[in-house]
Amino acid sequence: MRGGNMAGMMKQMQKLQKEMTQAQDELNATEFTATSASDMVTVVFAGDKTLKDIQIKPEAIDPDDPDMLQDLVLEAVNAGLKQVDDATKAKMGKYTRGLPG
């Protein structure tokens, strides 16, 4: 009986591992788009936090005010990364709840 119980647990763990891998693959294939104020900067991230695209409107490029463009890029990038983090927690949270670290 005990050996069957262990085999059942191993099978359950393998199933859980497969589900987690599939969920992570789905997340990595998802694209997340975020913009800065007035849509001046748009970024696209993959679920693994890889920056896939960045678009900057010409009117955001002011040679006399480079700080504004830097702020817009930071705003869009941080918003995109937050979207990825939120989606990761929502999708993967059921697998990681209660685990240390």
Side-chain angles (χ1 to χ4, degrees):
M1 180 96 165
R2 188 176 189 132
N5 212 7
M6 183 63 98
M9 276 181 54
M10 290 299 291
K11 190 172 186 173
Q12 190 72 358
M13 289 298 292
Q14 289 172 340
K15 181 179 181 238
L16 186 63
Q17 179 73 31
K18 185 178 178 182
E19 288 176 6
M20 284 177 60
T21 300
Q22 185 176 5
Q24 187 64 56
D25 289 346
E26 289 171 7
L27 189 62
N28 290 348
T30 303
E31 288 190 346
F32 300 86
T33 302
T35 60
S36 67
S38 304
D39 299 332
M40 298 293 258
V41 176
T42 301
V43 295
V44 178
F45 280 95
D48 64 358
K49 296 185 180 179
T50 301
L51 182 60
K52 308 221 7 146
D53 189 29
I54 184 167
Q55 297 173 11
I56 300 171
K57 289 188 176 178
E59 55 268 27
I61 303 169
D62 181 352
D64 296 326
D65 191 5
D67 289 343
M68 181 188 71
L69 178 56
Q70 291 169 0
D71 290 344
L72 293 171
V73 170
L74 285 173
E75 181 183 1
V77 167
N78 286 330
L81 290 173
K82 183 174 183 336
Q83 284 183 19
V84 174
D85 285 343
D86 290 348
T88 300
K89 286 176 189 166
K91 192 166 202 74
M92 302 302 289
K94 66 181 177 182
Y95 301 112
T96 58
R97 229 174 262 120
L99 294 178

PDB file of all heavy atoms in Angstrom, residues 3 6 10 18 20 44 57 66 72 87 98-99:
ATOM      1  N   GLY A   3       3.963   1.654  -1.129  1.00  0.00           N
ATOM      2  CA  GLY A   3       4.603   1.851  -2.422  1.00  0.00           C
ATOM      3  C   GLY A   3       3.648   2.442  -3.439  1.00  0.00           C
ATOM      4  O   GLY A   3       4.003   3.295  -4.233  1.00  0.00           O
ATOM      5  N   MET A   6       3.283   6.125  -2.793  1.00  0.00           N
ATOM      6  CA  MET A   6       4.441   6.877  -3.271  1.00  0.00           C
ATOM      7  C   MET A   6       4.380   7.035  -4.794  1.00  0.00           C
ATOM      8  O   MET A   6       4.651   8.116  -5.313  1.00  0.00           O
ATOM      9  CB  MET A   6       5.738   6.169  -2.864  1.00  0.00           C
ATOM     10  CG  MET A   6       6.966   6.942  -3.281  1.00  0.00           C
ATOM     11  SD  MET A   6       7.070   8.547  -2.475  1.00  0.00           S
ATOM     12  CE  MET A   6       8.175   8.157  -1.165  1.00  0.00           C
ATOM     13  N   MET A  10       4.220  10.508  -6.895  1.00  0.00           N
ATOM     14  CA  MET A  10       5.168  10.825  -7.965  1.00  0.00           C
ATOM     15  C   MET A  10       4.416  11.180  -9.246  1.00  0.00           C
ATOM     16  O   MET A  10       4.777  12.127  -9.939  1.00  0.00           O
ATOM     17  CB  MET A  10       6.117   9.635  -8.213  1.00  0.00           C
ATOM     18  CG  MET A  10       7.095   9.403  -7.082  1.00  0.00           C
ATOM     19  SD  MET A  10       8.193  10.802  -6.791  1.00  0.00           S
ATOM     20  CE  MET A  10       9.188  10.727  -8.260  1.00  0.00           C
ATOM     21  N   LYS A  18       4.293  19.249 -15.268  1.00  0.00           N
ATOM     22  CA  LYS A  18       3.893  19.448 -16.664  1.00  0.00           C
ATOM     23  C   LYS A  18       2.960  20.654 -16.784  1.00  0.00           C
ATOM     24  O   LYS A  18       3.103  21.471 -17.691  1.00  0.00           O
ATOM     25  CB  LYS A  18       3.215  18.184 -17.191  1.00  0.00           C
ATOM     26  CG  LYS A  18       2.860  18.238 -18.651  1.00  0.00           C
ATOM     27  CD  LYS A  18       2.238  16.927 -19.119  1.00  0.00           C
ATOM     28  CE  LYS A  18       1.846  17.021 -20.577  1.00  0.00           C
ATOM     29  NZ  LYS A  18       1.197  15.808 -21.054  1.00  0.00           N
ATOM     30  N   MET A  20       2.791  23.226 -14.733  1.00  0.00           N
ATOM     31  CA  MET A  20       3.567  24.439 -14.466  1.00  0.00           C
ATOM     32  C   MET A  20       4.374  24.847 -15.697  1.00  0.00           C
ATOM     33  O   MET A  20       4.425  26.029 -16.046  1.00  0.00           O
ATOM     34  CB  MET A  20       4.518  24.222 -13.283  1.00  0.00           C
ATOM     35  CG  MET A  20       3.853  24.240 -11.940  1.00  0.00           C
ATOM     36  SD  MET A  20       4.995  23.885 -10.580  1.00  0.00           S
ATOM     37  CE  MET A  20       6.181  25.205 -10.739  1.00  0.00           C
ATOM     38  N   VAL A  44       6.728  46.763 -25.717  1.00  0.00           N
ATOM     39  CA  VAL A  44       6.118  45.438 -25.758  1.00  0.00           C
ATOM     40  C   VAL A  44       7.102  44.464 -25.115  1.00  0.00           C
ATOM     41  O   VAL A  44       8.267  44.389 -25.514  1.00  0.00           O
ATOM     42  CB  VAL A  44       5.805  44.997 -27.208  1.00  0.00           C
ATOM     43  CG1 VAL A  44       5.205  43.599 -27.220  1.00  0.00           C
ATOM     44  CG2 VAL A  44       4.883  45.990 -27.889  1.00  0.00           C
ATOM     45  N   LYS A  57       7.402  58.265 -30.171  1.00  0.00           N
ATOM     46  CA  LYS A  57       6.859  59.254 -31.097  1.00  0.00           C
ATOM     47  C   LYS A  57       7.875  60.381 -31.284  1.00  0.00           C
ATOM     48  O   LYS A  57       8.529  60.796 -30.312  1.00  0.00           O
ATOM     49  CB  LYS A  57       5.534  59.807 -30.576  1.00  0.00           C
ATOM     50  CG  LYS A  57       4.407  58.807 -30.642  1.00  0.00           C
ATOM     51  CD  LYS A  57       3.090  59.443 -30.295  1.00  0.00           C
ATOM     52  CE  LYS A  57       1.958  58.434 -30.475  1.00  0.00           C
ATOM     53  NZ  LYS A  57       0.666  58.999 -30.105  1.00  0.00           N
ATOM     54  N   PRO A  66      16.182  66.124 -22.710  1.00  0.00           N
ATOM     55  CA  PRO A  66      16.345  64.665 -22.759  1.00  0.00           C
ATOM     56  C   PRO A  66      15.770  63.962 -21.530  1.00  0.00           C
ATOM     57  O   PRO A  66      15.373  62.802 -21.608  1.00  0.00           O
ATOM     58  CB  PRO A  66      17.859  64.468 -22.859  1.00  0.00           C
ATOM     59  CG  PRO A  66      18.452  65.729 -22.323  1.00  0.00           C
ATOM     60  CD  PRO A  66      17.460  66.810 -22.642  1.00  0.00           C
ATOM     61  N   LEU A  72       9.722  59.224 -19.806  1.00  0.00           N
ATOM     62  CA  LEU A  72       8.671  58.526 -20.549  1.00  0.00           C
ATOM     63  C   LEU A  72       9.041  57.060 -20.793  1.00  0.00           C
ATOM     64  O   LEU A  72       8.202  56.170 -20.661  1.00  0.00           O
ATOM     65  CB  LEU A  72       8.392  59.227 -21.884  1.00  0.00           C
ATOM     66  CG  LEU A  72       7.764  60.617 -21.793  1.00  0.00           C
ATOM     67  CD1 LEU A  72       7.751  61.286 -23.170  1.00  0.00           C
ATOM     68  CD2 LEU A  72       6.354  60.553 -21.215  1.00  0.00           C
ATOM     69  N   ALA A  87       0.645  39.303 -14.235  1.00  0.00           N
ATOM     70  CA  ALA A  87       0.172  38.123 -14.966  1.00  0.00           C
ATOM     71  C   ALA A  87       0.867  36.863 -14.475  1.00  0.00           C
ATOM     72  O   ALA A  87       0.235  35.803 -14.366  1.00  0.00           O
ATOM     73  CB  ALA A  87       0.402  38.310 -16.469  1.00  0.00           C
ATOM     74  N   GLY A  98       2.530  28.901  -0.832  1.00  0.00           N
ATOM     75  CA  GLY A  98       2.963  28.059   0.269  1.00  0.00           C
ATOM     76  C   GLY A  98       4.394  27.559   0.144  1.00  0.00           C
ATOM     77  O   GLY A  98       4.906  26.932   1.051  1.00  0.00           O
ATOM     78  N   LEU A  99       5.047  27.834  -0.999  1.00  0.00           N
ATOM     79  CA  LEU A  99       6.436  27.414  -1.136  1.00  0.00           C
ATOM     80  C   LEU A  99       7.354  28.477  -0.564  1.00  0.00           C
ATOM     81  O   LEU A  99       7.092  29.663  -0.704  1.00  0.00           O
ATOM     82  CB  LEU A  99       6.783  27.191  -2.621  1.00  0.00           C
ATOM     83  CG  LEU A  99       6.069  26.042  -3.330  1.00  0.00           C
ATOM     84  CD1 LEU A  99       6.494  26.000  -4.795  1.00  0.00           C
ATOM     85  CD2 LEU A  99       6.384  24.712  -2.671  1.00  0.00           C
TER      86      LEU A  99
END
